[in-house]
Amino acid sequence: MATITPLRGEGRTVGRIAGTWGECLAEFFGTFVLIVLGDGVVAMAVAALPGSGRTASPTTIFDAAGDWLLITFGWAFAVCMGIYVAGGVSGAHINPAVTVALAVRRKFPWAKVGPYVIAQVVGAFVAAALLFLIYHQAINAFNLAARTPKSSGQALATYSIFATFPAKYYAGSTIWPLIDEIVGTMFLLIFVVAITDDRNSLPGSNLPGLIIGFAVFAIGTSLGANTGYAINPARDFGPRLFAYFAGWGKVALPGTYNAPGFHFSNYFWIPIVGPLIGGIIGVLLYDFFIGDVLHARLKAQAAGVSEEVPIGREGPAHETGEVA
């Protein structure tokens, strides 16, 4: 594979993309893939399937749990594909919450945090624009059938293709959606650092990307309905910004919606702040309960202290049931 001729040729341009700039290109493209597939599956459930005549009516969405499973599976594989696309270059953070958490506890350079986050947000914005290009007929058909033009401030269903909003039962609260986003992203980072920790039971071969996708599926199916499980500031803000420019107005930014029995105001900051806090908490919790134990074991082994390894452990240092 190393003999493939670069599109840019072998000149100075290729040399310039070996460092942070090249990693940002990968973060942009990995996040682009993530959002095209992730928001794409929402577009399928909300607009394309109803508008294509494949549901009971042109406005039939979320009629059963199957729609939610479609979305959670779609997002799981979107994450998986984004990781496989960008992982070899940048590590495929494709999420500012991951980038910041790894800077806090995994020695990721703070100087790269800003460039990574910008690349992720821009990748998400461009992906949303492509999805609108592909699905604008379906979106317009749904809005027409539901009598909710984008400019009305009531087109919540088609807006949801791009970004998240809180559940009706929160009744305009901000604290509980914030807590929900913190908790969801906390679990995401616990899973990410566990799956990629070579001191732990690291998945074999090239499986971490797939397993992280399964982790996102678990979060979506178990914790997703409260806020739509943004758990990624770029995933929410990039498409939200595009939706604002594309005509959804205040529903996108600042994130305000009013209808009988259902309202929220200035919601846009919650899927940004909540995941950033939750990601840091998640990596700290993993290190407190698991990482420090693994570190202590490795130090004891290096000092020649024998240790009985619990039956069933299959980490990189020991076979199952082996005694050190």
Side-chain angles (χ1 to χ4, degrees):
M1 297 298 288
T3 60
I4 295 175
T5 303
L7 284 174
R8 296 171 177 83
E10 292 287 2
R12 292 173 59 191
T13 303
V14 169
R16 292 193 189 102
I17 61 174
T20 302
W21 175 239
E23 294 168 14
C24 288
L25 289 176
E27 284 297 305
F28 166 88
F29 200 56
T31 310
F32 173 82
V33 170
L34 166 69
I35 300 303
V36 167
L37 298 182
D39 279 357
V41 77
V42 184
M44 283 284 290
V46 169
L49 289 174
S52 68
R54 292 177 173 86
T55 57
S57 78
T59 58
T60 299
I61 59 172
F62 290 101
D63 198 35
D67 281 333
W68 192 252
L69 286 174
L70 171 68
I71 288 172
T72 54
F73 268 119
W75 273 106
F77 286 109
V79 169
C80 174
M81 295 302 113
I83 291 172
Y84 282 133
V85 164
V89 176
S90 65
H93 297 183
I94 58 177
N95 182 342
V98 173
T99 300
V100 170
L102 296 185
V104 170
R105 282 296 301 170
R106 289 299 183 272
K107 298 182 179 179
F108 181 76
W110 280 102
K112 292 185 178 183
V113 170
Y116 266 51
V117 170
I118 292 171
Q120 292 156 0
V121 172
V122 174
F125 182 94
V126 174
L130 177 61
L131 277 175
F132 185 71
L133 176 68
I134 294 171
Y135 282 118
H136 70 274
Q137 294 96 338
I139 290 170
N140 291 339
F142 184 94
N143 284 337
L144 181 63
R147 299 178 182 177
T148 54
K150 289 184 294 182
S151 60
S152 69
Q154 299 298 307
L156 186 64
T158 50
Y159 156 76
S160 72
I161 291 169
F162 298 99
T164 62
F165 61 89
K168 187 175 183 178
Y169 42 73
Y170 281 134
S173 169
T174 57
I175 184 64
W176 293 111
L178 179 65
I179 291 172
D180 184 77
E181 284 292 327
I182 289 172
V183 171
T185 317
M186 177 191 78
F187 277 105
L188 174 65
L189 263 294
I190 289 171
F191 300 150
V192 166
V193 293
I195 291 164
T196 58
D197 190 347
D198 60 7
R199 304 168 302 174
N200 207 332
S201 299
L202 190 69
S205 186
N206 198 26
L207 286 178
L210 179 62
I211 306 304
I212 291 172
F214 289 162
V216 172
F217 175 76
I219 292 168
T221 51
S222 298
L223 304 172
N226 285 338
T227 60
Y229 71 115
I231 60 176
N232 180 338
R235 167 266 176 278
D236 192 85
F237 185 71
R240 180 184 294 272
L241 185 62
F242 174 81
Y244 173 78
F245 287 123
W248 275 270
K250 67 179 182 179
V251 180
L253 282 173
T256 297
Y257 176 78
N258 288 289
F262 186 21
H263 64 93
F264 53 87
S265 299
N266 301 308
Y267 185 76
F268 80 96
W269 63 272
I270 290 175
I272 297 174
V273 175
L276 292 175
I277 296 172
I280 294 170
I281 293 174
V283 73
L284 291 173
L285 286 175
Y286 176 82
D287 283 348
F288 183 83
F289 287 101
I290 305 297
D292 286 0
V293 177
L294 295 170
H295 179 76
R297 282 183 169 175
L298 290 175
K299 285 195 69 175
Q301 292 168 17
V305 178
S306 62
E307 175 192 5
E308 182 175 344
V309 179
I311 297 296
R313 179 185 171 210
E314 296 187 22
H318 302 288
E319 299 293 333
T320 302
E322 178 187 353
V323 176

PDB file of all heavy atoms in Angstrom, residues 1-30:
ATOM      1  N   MET A   1       0.826  -1.208   0.000  1.00  0.00           N
ATOM      2  CA  MET A   1       0.000   0.000   0.000  1.00  0.00           C
ATOM      3  C   MET A   1       0.862   1.261   0.000  1.00  0.00           C
ATOM      4  O   MET A   1       0.453   2.308  -0.468  1.00  0.00           O
ATOM      5  CB  MET A   1      -0.922   0.005   1.215  1.00  0.00           C
ATOM      6  CG  MET A   1      -1.921  -1.143   1.235  1.00  0.00           C
ATOM      7  SD  MET A   1      -3.057  -1.116  -0.168  1.00  0.00           S
ATOM      8  CE  MET A   1      -4.086   0.279   0.266  1.00  0.00           C
ATOM      9  N   ALA A   2       2.091   1.175   0.520  1.00  0.00           N
ATOM     10  CA  ALA A   2       2.951   2.349   0.594  1.00  0.00           C
ATOM     11  C   ALA A   2       3.381   2.835  -0.779  1.00  0.00           C
ATOM     12  O   ALA A   2       3.891   3.946  -0.925  1.00  0.00           O
ATOM     13  CB  ALA A   2       4.179   2.031   1.442  1.00  0.00           C
ATOM     14  N   THR A   3       3.209   1.996  -1.821  1.00  0.00           N
ATOM     15  CA  THR A   3       3.630   2.377  -3.161  1.00  0.00           C
ATOM     16  C   THR A   3       2.549   3.158  -3.914  1.00  0.00           C
ATOM     17  O   THR A   3       2.754   3.531  -5.057  1.00  0.00           O
ATOM     18  CB  THR A   3       4.003   1.129  -3.971  1.00  0.00           C
ATOM     19  OG1 THR A   3       2.854   0.266  -4.055  1.00  0.00           O
ATOM     20  CG2 THR A   3       5.148   0.382  -3.316  1.00  0.00           C
ATOM     21  N   ILE A   4       1.368   3.380  -3.294  1.00  0.00           N
ATOM     22  CA  ILE A   4       0.317   4.146  -3.948  1.00  0.00           C
ATOM     23  C   ILE A   4       0.796   5.586  -4.136  1.00  0.00           C
ATOM     24  O   ILE A   4       1.254   6.236  -3.199  1.00  0.00           O
ATOM     25  CB  ILE A   4      -0.981   4.128  -3.125  1.00  0.00           C
ATOM     26  CG1 ILE A   4      -1.533   2.700  -3.056  1.00  0.00           C
ATOM     27  CG2 ILE A   4      -2.018   5.076  -3.718  1.00  0.00           C
ATOM     28  CD1 ILE A   4      -2.743   2.556  -2.177  1.00  0.00           C
ATOM     29  N   THR A   5       0.698   6.094  -5.341  1.00  0.00           N
ATOM     30  CA  THR A   5       1.156   7.450  -5.643  1.00  0.00           C
ATOM     31  C   THR A   5       0.222   8.480  -5.013  1.00  0.00           C
ATOM     32  O   THR A   5      -0.992   8.426  -5.219  1.00  0.00           O
ATOM     33  CB  THR A   5       1.196   7.674  -7.159  1.00  0.00           C
ATOM     34  OG1 THR A   5       2.038   6.690  -7.751  1.00  0.00           O
ATOM     35  CG2 THR A   5       1.730   9.069  -7.479  1.00  0.00           C
ATOM     36  N   PRO A   6       0.750   9.437  -4.242  1.00  0.00           N
ATOM     37  CA  PRO A   6      -0.113  10.456  -3.631  1.00  0.00           C
ATOM     38  C   PRO A   6      -0.804  11.308  -4.684  1.00  0.00           C
ATOM     39  O   PRO A   6      -0.217  11.627  -5.726  1.00  0.00           O
ATOM     40  CB  PRO A   6       0.865  11.304  -2.806  1.00  0.00           C
ATOM     41  CG  PRO A   6       2.076  10.454  -2.626  1.00  0.00           C
ATOM     42  CD  PRO A   6       2.156   9.586  -3.838  1.00  0.00           C
ATOM     43  N   LEU A   7      -2.060  11.678  -4.428  1.00  0.00           N
ATOM     44  CA  LEU A   7      -2.774  12.564  -5.345  1.00  0.00           C
ATOM     45  C   LEU A   7      -2.044  13.885  -5.516  1.00  0.00           C
ATOM     46  O   LEU A   7      -2.070  14.500  -6.584  1.00  0.00           O
ATOM     47  CB  LEU A   7      -4.188  12.837  -4.818  1.00  0.00           C
ATOM     48  CG  LEU A   7      -5.218  11.710  -4.973  1.00  0.00           C
ATOM     49  CD1 LEU A   7      -6.511  12.093  -4.277  1.00  0.00           C
ATOM     50  CD2 LEU A   7      -5.480  11.417  -6.444  1.00  0.00           C
ATOM     51  N   ARG A   8      -1.393  14.338  -4.447  1.00  0.00           N
ATOM     52  CA  ARG A   8      -0.689  15.621  -4.480  1.00  0.00           C
ATOM     53  C   ARG A   8       0.696  15.518  -5.096  1.00  0.00           C
ATOM     54  O   ARG A   8       1.405  16.511  -5.204  1.00  0.00           O
ATOM     55  CB  ARG A   8      -0.561  16.184  -3.061  1.00  0.00           C
ATOM     56  CG  ARG A   8      -1.875  16.522  -2.397  1.00  0.00           C
ATOM     57  CD  ARG A   8      -1.629  16.849  -0.925  1.00  0.00           C
ATOM     58  NE  ARG A   8      -2.844  17.262  -0.225  1.00  0.00           N
ATOM     59  CZ  ARG A   8      -3.734  16.455   0.280  1.00  0.00           C
ATOM     60  NH1 ARG A   8      -3.595  15.152   0.150  1.00  0.00           N
ATOM     61  NH2 ARG A   8      -4.793  16.934   0.928  1.00  0.00           N
ATOM     62  N   GLY A   9       1.100  14.290  -5.459  1.00  0.00           N
ATOM     63  CA  GLY A   9       2.463  14.105  -5.936  1.00  0.00           C
ATOM     64  C   GLY A   9       3.431  13.996  -4.775  1.00  0.00           C
ATOM     65  O   GLY A   9       3.043  14.025  -3.605  1.00  0.00           O
ATOM     66  N   GLU A  10       4.710  13.903  -5.066  1.00  0.00           N
ATOM     67  CA  GLU A  10       5.720  13.702  -4.036  1.00  0.00           C
ATOM     68  C   GLU A  10       6.403  15.005  -3.620  1.00  0.00           C
ATOM     69  O   GLU A  10       7.465  14.993  -3.027  1.00  0.00           O
ATOM     70  CB  GLU A  10       6.796  12.724  -4.549  1.00  0.00           C
ATOM     71  CG  GLU A  10       6.305  11.308  -4.741  1.00  0.00           C
ATOM     72  CD  GLU A  10       6.068  10.579  -3.437  1.00  0.00           C
ATOM     73  OE1 GLU A  10       6.257  11.187  -2.361  1.00  0.00           O
ATOM     74  OE2 GLU A  10       5.677   9.402  -3.484  1.00  0.00           O
ATOM     75  N   GLY A  11       5.819  16.151  -3.949  1.00  0.00           N
ATOM     76  CA  GLY A  11       6.438  17.434  -3.648  1.00  0.00           C
ATOM     77  C   GLY A  11       6.276  17.855  -2.213  1.00  0.00           C
ATOM     78  O   GLY A  11       5.913  17.081  -1.322  1.00  0.00           O
ATOM     79  N   ARG A  12       6.484  19.154  -1.978  1.00  0.00           N
ATOM     80  CA  ARG A  12       6.480  19.698  -0.621  1.00  0.00           C
ATOM     81  C   ARG A  12       5.099  19.614   0.028  1.00  0.00           C
ATOM     82  O   ARG A  12       4.973  19.534   1.241  1.00  0.00           O
ATOM     83  CB  ARG A  12       6.932  21.162  -0.655  1.00  0.00           C
ATOM     84  CG  ARG A  12       8.396  21.329  -1.041  1.00  0.00           C
ATOM     85  CD  ARG A  12       8.739  22.796  -1.220  1.00  0.00           C
ATOM     86  NE  ARG A  12       8.481  23.553   0.000  1.00  0.00           N
ATOM     87  CZ  ARG A  12       8.502  24.888   0.059  1.00  0.00           C
ATOM     88  NH1 ARG A  12       8.721  25.580  -1.048  1.00  0.00           N
ATOM     89  NH2 ARG A  12       8.279  25.509   1.200  1.00  0.00           N
ATOM     90  N   THR A  13       4.028  19.615  -0.784  1.00  0.00           N
ATOM     91  CA  THR A  13       2.678  19.586  -0.223  1.00  0.00           C
ATOM     92  C   THR A  13       2.453  18.349   0.621  1.00  0.00           C
ATOM     93  O   THR A  13       1.859  18.414   1.707  1.00  0.00           O
ATOM     94  CB  THR A  13       1.634  19.643  -1.348  1.00  0.00           C
ATOM     95  OG1 THR A  13       1.851  20.816  -2.119  1.00  0.00           O
ATOM     96  CG2 THR A  13       0.232  19.670  -0.777  1.00  0.00           C
ATOM     97  N   VAL A  14       2.919  17.196   0.157  1.00  0.00           N
ATOM     98  CA  VAL A  14       2.753  15.971   0.930  1.00  0.00           C
ATOM     99  C   VAL A  14       3.498  16.062   2.250  1.00  0.00           C
ATOM    100  O   VAL A  14       3.013  15.635   3.301  1.00  0.00           O
ATOM    101  CB  VAL A  14       3.222  14.744   0.114  1.00  0.00           C
ATOM    102  CG1 VAL A  14       3.296  13.509   0.993  1.00  0.00           C
ATOM    103  CG2 VAL A  14       2.273  14.499  -1.042  1.00  0.00           C
ATOM    104  N   GLY A  15       4.677  16.658   2.225  1.00  0.00           N
ATOM    105  CA  GLY A  15       5.435  16.808   3.459  1.00  0.00           C
ATOM    106  C   GLY A  15       4.723  17.660   4.481  1.00  0.00           C
ATOM    107  O   GLY A  15       4.817  17.412   5.686  1.00  0.00           O
ATOM    108  N   ARG A  16       3.968  18.630   4.033  1.00  0.00           N
ATOM    109  CA  ARG A  16       3.282  19.539   4.963  1.00  0.00           C
ATOM    110  C   ARG A  16       2.111  18.877   5.685  1.00  0.00           C
ATOM    111  O   ARG A  16       1.646  19.401   6.689  1.00  0.00           O
ATOM    112  CB  ARG A  16       2.745  20.762   4.197  1.00  0.00           C
ATOM    113  CG  ARG A  16       3.824  21.685   3.652  1.00  0.00           C
ATOM    114  CD  ARG A  16       3.196  23.002   3.211  1.00  0.00           C
ATOM    115  NE  ARG A  16       4.147  23.838   2.492  1.00  0.00           N
ATOM    116  CZ  ARG A  16       4.168  23.979   1.171  1.00  0.00           C
ATOM    117  NH1 ARG A  16       3.281  23.336   0.434  1.00  0.00           N
ATOM    118  NH2 ARG A  16       5.051  24.753   0.589  1.00  0.00           N
ATOM    119  N   ILE A  17       1.577  17.805   5.143  1.00  0.00           N
ATOM    120  CA  ILE A  17       0.403  17.191   5.767  1.00  0.00           C
ATOM    121  C   ILE A  17       0.763  16.003   6.651  1.00  0.00           C
ATOM    122  O   ILE A  17      -0.097  15.237   7.059  1.00  0.00           O
ATOM    123  CB  ILE A  17      -0.634  16.751   4.705  1.00  0.00           C
ATOM    124  CG1 ILE A  17      -0.041  15.701   3.758  1.00  0.00           C
ATOM    125  CG2 ILE A  17      -1.161  17.938   3.937  1.00  0.00           C
ATOM    126  CD1 ILE A  17      -1.054  15.134   2.785  1.00  0.00           C
ATOM    127  N   ALA A  18       2.035  15.863   6.982  1.00  0.00           N
ATOM    128  CA  ALA A  18       2.429  14.737   7.832  1.00  0.00           C
ATOM    129  C   ALA A  18       2.120  14.988   9.306  1.00  0.00           C
ATOM    130  O   ALA A  18       2.000  14.047  10.079  1.00  0.00           O
ATOM    131  CB  ALA A  18       3.929  14.450   7.665  1.00  0.00           C
ATOM    132  N   GLY A  19       1.973  16.242   9.728  1.00  0.00           N
ATOM    133  CA  GLY A  19       1.778  16.567  11.142  1.00  0.00           C
ATOM    134  C   GLY A  19       0.348  16.884  11.505  1.00  0.00           C
ATOM    135  O   GLY A  19      -0.603  16.216  11.063  1.00  0.00           O
ATOM    136  N   THR A  20       0.186  17.947  12.305  1.00  0.00           N
ATOM    137  CA  THR A  20      -1.138  18.315  12.818  1.00  0.00           C
ATOM    138  C   THR A  20      -2.122  18.613  11.694  1.00  0.00           C
ATOM    139  O   THR A  20      -3.307  18.266  11.793  1.00  0.00           O
ATOM    140  CB  THR A  20      -1.021  19.542  13.743  1.00  0.00           C
ATOM    141  OG1 THR A  20      -0.130  19.239  14.821  1.00  0.00           O
ATOM    142  CG2 THR A  20      -2.376  19.930  14.310  1.00  0.00           C
ATOM    143  N   TRP A  21      -1.660  19.263  10.619  1.00  0.00           N
ATOM    144  CA  TRP A  21      -2.559  19.582   9.523  1.00  0.00           C
ATOM    145  C   TRP A  21      -3.162  18.310   8.930  1.00  0.00           C
ATOM    146  O   TRP A  21      -4.363  18.239   8.665  1.00  0.00           O
ATOM    147  CB  TRP A  21      -1.820  20.382   8.460  1.00  0.00           C
ATOM    148  CG  TRP A  21      -2.608  20.673   7.211  1.00  0.00           C
ATOM    149  CD1 TRP A  21      -2.293  20.314   5.947  1.00  0.00           C
ATOM    150  CD2 TRP A  21      -3.850  21.380   7.116  1.00  0.00           C
ATOM    151  NE1 TRP A  21      -3.249  20.744   5.050  1.00  0.00           N
ATOM    152  CE2 TRP A  21      -4.219  21.416   5.742  1.00  0.00           C
ATOM    153  CE3 TRP A  21      -4.690  21.997   8.040  1.00  0.00           C
ATOM    154  CZ2 TRP A  21      -5.381  22.025   5.285  1.00  0.00           C
ATOM    155  CZ3 TRP A  21      -5.858  22.611   7.583  1.00  0.00           C
ATOM    156  CH2 TRP A  21      -6.192  22.618   6.230  1.00  0.00           C
ATOM    157  N   GLY A  22      -2.336  17.285   8.735  1.00  0.00           N
ATOM    158  CA  GLY A  22      -2.849  16.026   8.217  1.00  0.00           C
ATOM    159  C   GLY A  22      -3.815  15.357   9.180  1.00  0.00           C
ATOM    160  O   GLY A  22      -4.822  14.770   8.767  1.00  0.00           O
ATOM    161  N   GLU A  23      -3.529  15.455  10.480  1.00  0.00           N
ATOM    162  CA  GLU A  23      -4.438  14.885  11.479  1.00  0.00           C
ATOM    163  C   GLU A  23      -5.780  15.609  11.462  1.00  0.00           C
ATOM    164  O   GLU A  23      -6.840  14.982  11.611  1.00  0.00           O
ATOM    165  CB  GLU A  23      -3.787  14.975  12.861  1.00  0.00           C
ATOM    166  CG  GLU A  23      -2.546  14.099  13.001  1.00  0.00           C
ATOM    167  CD  GLU A  23      -1.758  14.410  14.256  1.00  0.00           C
ATOM    168  OE1 GLU A  23      -2.294  15.111  15.137  1.00  0.00           O
ATOM    169  OE2 GLU A  23      -0.601  13.967  14.342  1.00  0.00           O
ATOM    170  N   CYS A  24      -5.743  16.922  11.264  1.00  0.00           N
ATOM    171  CA  CYS A  24      -6.994  17.685  11.193  1.00  0.00           C
ATOM    172  C   CYS A  24      -7.790  17.315   9.944  1.00  0.00           C
ATOM    173  O   CYS A  24      -9.031  17.278   9.985  1.00  0.00           O
ATOM    174  CB  CYS A  24      -6.696  19.182  11.225  1.00  0.00           C
ATOM    175  SG  CYS A  24      -6.151  19.776  12.846  1.00  0.00           S
ATOM    176  N   LEU A  25      -7.094  17.056   8.830  1.00  0.00           N
ATOM    177  CA  LEU A  25      -7.795  16.585   7.636  1.00  0.00           C
ATOM    178  C   LEU A  25      -8.522  15.277   7.938  1.00  0.00           C
ATOM    179  O   LEU A  25      -9.661  15.066   7.519  1.00  0.00           O
ATOM    180  CB  LEU A  25      -6.811  16.380   6.485  1.00  0.00           C
ATOM    181  CG  LEU A  25      -6.220  17.636   5.849  1.00  0.00           C
ATOM    182  CD1 LEU A  25      -5.186  17.248   4.791  1.00  0.00           C
ATOM    183  CD2 LEU A  25      -7.304  18.513   5.220  1.00  0.00           C
ATOM    184  N   ALA A  26      -7.854  14.389   8.680  1.00  0.00           N
ATOM    185  CA  ALA A  26      -8.471  13.111   9.031  1.00  0.00           C
ATOM    186  C   ALA A  26      -9.654  13.313   9.972  1.00  0.00           C
ATOM    187  O   ALA A  26     -10.694  12.650   9.829  1.00  0.00           O
ATOM    188  CB  ALA A  26      -7.437  12.185   9.671  1.00  0.00           C
ATOM    189  N   GLU A  27      -9.518  14.224  10.947  1.00  0.00           N
ATOM    190  CA  GLU A  27     -10.627  14.501  11.861  1.00  0.00           C
ATOM    191  C   GLU A  27     -11.821  15.096  11.108  1.00  0.00           C
ATOM    192  O   GLU A  27     -12.970  14.750  11.373  1.00  0.00           O
ATOM    193  CB  GLU A  27     -10.182  15.440  12.981  1.00  0.00           C
ATOM    194  CG  GLU A  27      -9.350  14.772  14.039  1.00  0.00           C
ATOM    195  CD  GLU A  27     -10.098  13.690  14.790  1.00  0.00           C
ATOM    196  OE1 GLU A  27     -11.177  13.983  15.339  1.00  0.00           O
ATOM    197  OE2 GLU A  27      -9.611  12.547  14.824  1.00  0.00           O
ATOM    198  N   PHE A  28     -11.525  16.000  10.171  1.00  0.00           N
ATOM    199  CA  PHE A  28     -12.593  16.552   9.335  1.00  0.00           C
ATOM    200  C   PHE A  28     -13.314  15.437   8.589  1.00  0.00           C
ATOM    201  O   PHE A  28     -14.550  15.359   8.604  1.00  0.00           O
ATOM    202  CB  PHE A  28     -12.008  17.564   8.341  1.00  0.00           C
ATOM    203  CG  PHE A  28     -12.956  17.944   7.231  1.00  0.00           C
ATOM    204  CD1 PHE A  28     -13.842  18.987   7.392  1.00  0.00           C
ATOM    205  CD2 PHE A  28     -12.968  17.240   6.034  1.00  0.00           C
ATOM    206  CE1 PHE A  28     -14.731  19.331   6.375  1.00  0.00           C
ATOM    207  CE2 PHE A  28     -13.849  17.574   5.009  1.00  0.00           C
ATOM    208  CZ  PHE A  28     -14.739  18.625   5.186  1.00  0.00           C
ATOM    209  N   PHE A  29     -12.559  14.575   7.936  1.00  0.00           N
ATOM    210  CA  PHE A  29     -13.163  13.561   7.078  1.00  0.00           C
ATOM    211  C   PHE A  29     -13.843  12.470   7.896  1.00  0.00           C
ATOM    212  O   PHE A  29     -14.920  11.980   7.532  1.00  0.00           O
ATOM    213  CB  PHE A  29     -12.104  12.960   6.156  1.00  0.00           C
ATOM    214  CG  PHE A  29     -12.678  12.284   4.949  1.00  0.00           C
ATOM    215  CD1 PHE A  29     -13.519  12.956   4.085  1.00  0.00           C
ATOM    216  CD2 PHE A  29     -12.372  10.959   4.668  1.00  0.00           C
ATOM    217  CE1 PHE A  29     -14.054  12.334   2.969  1.00  0.00           C
ATOM    218  CE2 PHE A  29     -12.899  10.326   3.555  1.00  0.00           C
ATOM    219  CZ  PHE A  29     -13.744  11.010   2.702  1.00  0.00           C
ATOM    220  N   GLY A  30     -13.243  12.079   9.014  1.00  0.00           N
ATOM    221  CA  GLY A  30     -13.885  11.087   9.873  1.00  0.00           C
ATOM    222  C   GLY A  30     -15.198  11.585  10.443  1.00  0.00           C
ATOM    223  O   GLY A  30     -16.187  10.845  10.497  1.00  0.00           O
TER     224      GLY A  30
END
